Amino acid sequence: MVGKSRKAARDDGLERTDNNMELSSWPQIAAINQKNYYTDYLKRDDQSLAFRLQNEEARSKMTKAAKDRDRALATAKTSEPAAEAEAEADEDAKMEDTEEAPAEAAGSKVIVIHIGSQNLRIGLSSDALPKTIPMVIARKSATSESEDQEEPKPKRLKRDDDSPVEPEKSFGSEWSAQFNRMSADLKVHMRQNKRRMLPNSKEMVVNYNRRTAPEAISEHNDPMRVDWTELSDPPPEYIVGQAALRVPDLSNPRYKLYWPIQNGWCNERDYKSKRMLFLDISLILEDAIKTHLGLTSKKDWPQYSCVFVIPDLYEKSDVTQILEMLMREFSFARTCFIQESLAATFGAGFTSACVVDIGAQKTSVCCVEEGMCIENSRVNLKFGGRDVTEAFIKMMLHDHFPYAEMNLWQRHDYLLAEELKKNLCTMNEGSVSPQVFDFHLRVAGQDTRKYNFKAYDEVHLAPMGYFEPTIFDNEHKVDARRTLIERSKDIYDGQLNDPVSAAQSEILSALAPPLPSDDKTNGDEPAEPSDVQATPSKPQHPSAVSKVQEAEATPRSSVAGSPAPEAAGTPQAGGAGTPAVKDKESAEKEKAPRPPTVDERDDIIPVYPLDSAILTSIAHAARSDEKKMRDFYGGIMVVGGGSLTAQFHQFLEERLQALRPGFAKEIMIGVPPRDLDPQVVVWKGASVFGKLSGTNDSWIGQLEYDRLGHRLMAYKCMWAY
């Protein structure tokens, strides 16, 4: 056919007759060669929306800078008439104004928010200090919170005829025995330190408090009288902040206080719906922005950015809800998150430190190195300054406190108890002696009453609860947990994806209750050791360092018939069929605490001695690196309102040195520099972070959030989200 003419092709019957028409109008796509098939779709970071927008923004800034530079060079080389020169000067002035605006907005257009169990700290990034507002809201109700509770707080025991028992027995024999033991240990310690003390100091305090009567003071003679919140007509549906705490308990109509954050997580015990819980949080934030920041019009809020502080061990479902609130309800232009311990190092100017944050109801420990929180060092304990307040009042009532009717459910009693704790509690043993104090009880609609009382070792033993947390009331801290907010789960495999920490898991394992005697497990699973206690009453809990020391000191079992191990009192996993002779590895497995299951984690209250928790955190952060361990021991920084107790830093340093004598010279407790208030160090660090507009790539914009939602957190967070 090749080379044949059309006539020859027609003669041979090979002439083309299809008019060059295709068989179909659909485009014909060649099949993919399966042997050499490759694509990089969504395999590079620069293909995701978050990074593309960052690159586009950087490119637009570079283009604008180049145009401005060319314009300046052209203006310098050409000589134009005076009118044109003035016009260009005006244009340059406008350009300078636009260039100065972003620099000014970096500080004055950024709102920094740090919420806690007791206080909210909020302010602009350009402010020197934040505004502190109680994290509470009062809502209209049929009864107040003091009328809802049948039992006073702290709870007292009663006889069968509902008559009160003696103060020494009102809190139970177990609590009284622990209180008396702590008091006896303090006396021994003071004698060892050559401190003088009277032998009958406790009796002197009790006898004085028994016979003390209050003194009535008329309201017009009281210079420090309280200005209670006056309700308008009609009364508002809710009251926020300090004004809510000043609403009288017997107001008309009644108001009930709600604390949306309790023990560092969302308060699911006092709320009936998740919507109301986050609605109260948004109302408190909205009132603070309008009242204390002066941004009364919501139309101005889209011009502002927001830096929000979250805990080190956060819960993803809470962070997701907060992000939606900030982007949808508040309509901020940009939002970013920072962890508490990292913010504390920003505020103090440290590159690496072991941050101990003692709040009102939560204490967190985390080691920070080179601008990153070490994941396995994060510890979250559920006690704080408010637990010290309650323990202090219990101890005072135990020693015949003259105001025996004190009930922390009542607002005036709660404010009085916080004031007494702040003024009296100390960790200085030199201040432990029978001393006379006084306070004024101010109740709405009643005359002021002045009480005189004596206190002895209660002022020291109450903050000692940080190191012996079983003296606190830990009974209801996990009530109603997971009733409103479910755990965050992976959408693909259904696994839990909340952050975990090896240090926190070790503490929960040490606090896990022992296995019941009727449990039958396989022979290869470790049995529960008998020395694991359900409550951290002693500081000898297993830590990452002590477990290594115990493992090295564990003798190898003999091949011959050996006596039963120390944990023989505990039912063995294999029952009668378990061999008595075990090798060293199996013995160490038995000695290790049983790790709690996923369901048990929410039932275990993480209350653990603070000094042991710090050592556990540092041990997991250093990972047997002695140089790192020494660096963290020498860089412990204590922040938070709970650290304001007098001589707390020196006392904590002595406790750590006693537990780790080999590192006694390196252990040092630091304080925030420049006499900065420890309560605002975290907020101050977040405000510094908010000013880093040029190097901060963790901002989430409205366009990104509209398209990707909370999935952006995986790209935007500086840590592994």
Side-chain angles (χ1 to χ4, degrees), residues 480-556:
R481 184 82 173 122
R482 302 295 182 190
T483 56
L484 300 181
I485 304 175
E486 297 181 355
R487 299 185 185 93
S488 177
K489 296 183 179 179
D490 192 273
I491 59 175
Y492 297 106
D493 55 13
Q495 298 293 326
L496 301 180
N497 57 2
D498 279 334
V500 294
S501 165
Q504 184 78 358
S505 299
E506 180 178 322
I507 289 176
L508 293 178
S509 300
L511 299 176
L515 286 171
S517 58
D518 56 349
D519 274 10
K520 304 295 181 182
T521 57
N522 296 327
D524 56 347
E525 293 183 3
E528 177 67 13
S530 60
D531 56 349
V532 177
Q533 301 177 358
T535 55
S537 59
K538 297 181 181 179
Q540 291 86 5
H541 282 294
S543 63
V545 175
S546 62
K547 286 199 295 186
V548 173
Q549 296 171 349
E550 290 176 4
E552 293 175 351
T554 303
R556 184 178 295 275

Side-chain angles (χ1 to χ4, degrees), residues 197-212 399-400 433-436 453-456 458:
M197 51 188 304
L198 297 174
N200 58 343
S201 300
K202 183 72 72 172
E203 290 76 8
M204 293 172 54
V205 170
V206 171
N207 293 332
Y208 182 88
N209 291 340
R210 274 177 176 169
R211 64 173 185 267
T212 300
D399 291 342
H400 292 259
S433 63
Q435 301 180 56
V436 179
F453 67 99
K454 273 190 176 182
Y456 176 45
E458 303 89 354

Side-chain angles (χ1 to χ4, degrees), residues 520-527 572-575 577-579 582 586 589-590:
K520 304 295 181 182
T521 57
N522 296 327
D524 56 347
E525 293 183 3
Q572 300 298 319
T578 303
K582 293 184 173 65
S586 61
K589 284 185 177 181
E590 284 190 355

Side-chain angles (χ1 to χ4, degrees), residues 110-114 121-125 130 293 305-309 682-684 686-688 690:
V110 178
I111 299 175
V112 182
I113 300 175
H114 181 205
R121 290 183 173 86
I122 188 172
L124 297 175
S125 184
L293 300 186
S305 304
C306 178
V307 177
F308 199 93
V309 183
V682 175
W683 183 93
K684 190 66 178 176
S687 70
V688 173

Side-chain angles (χ1 to χ4, degrees), residues 37-48:
Y37 175 67
Y38 174 77
T39 178
D40 60 352
Y41 177 65
L42 289 184
K43 289 184 178 180
R44 300 198 311 267
D45 287 341
D46 57 1
Q47 293 178 335
S48 63

Side-chain angles (χ1 to χ4, degrees), residues 316-367:
K316 287 190 175 181
S317 55
D318 297 344
V319 176
T320 300
Q321 196 74 25
I322 291 293
L323 176 60
E324 182 180 359
M325 179 193 307
L326 298 176
M327 302 302 289
R328 289 285 179 263
E329 296 184 28
F330 294 169
S331 301
F332 288 131
R334 299 182 303 172
T335 300
C336 70
F337 293 92
I338 184 172
Q339 293 172 294
E340 284 179 341
S341 296
L342 179 59
T345 58
F346 270 69
F350 294 170
T351 56
S352 63
C354 177
V355 180
V356 182
D357 188 354
I358 307 176
Q361 298 182 12
K362 173 185 68 71
T363 298
S364 62
V365 185
C366 180
C367 294

Side-chain angles (χ1 to χ4, degrees), residues 16 158 177 185 190 199 213 247 330 383 385 392 609 659:
R16 186 182 182 97
K158 293 182 179 180
D185 292 344
M190 292 178 66
V247 176
F330 294 169
F383 58 77
F392 177 63
L659 290 177

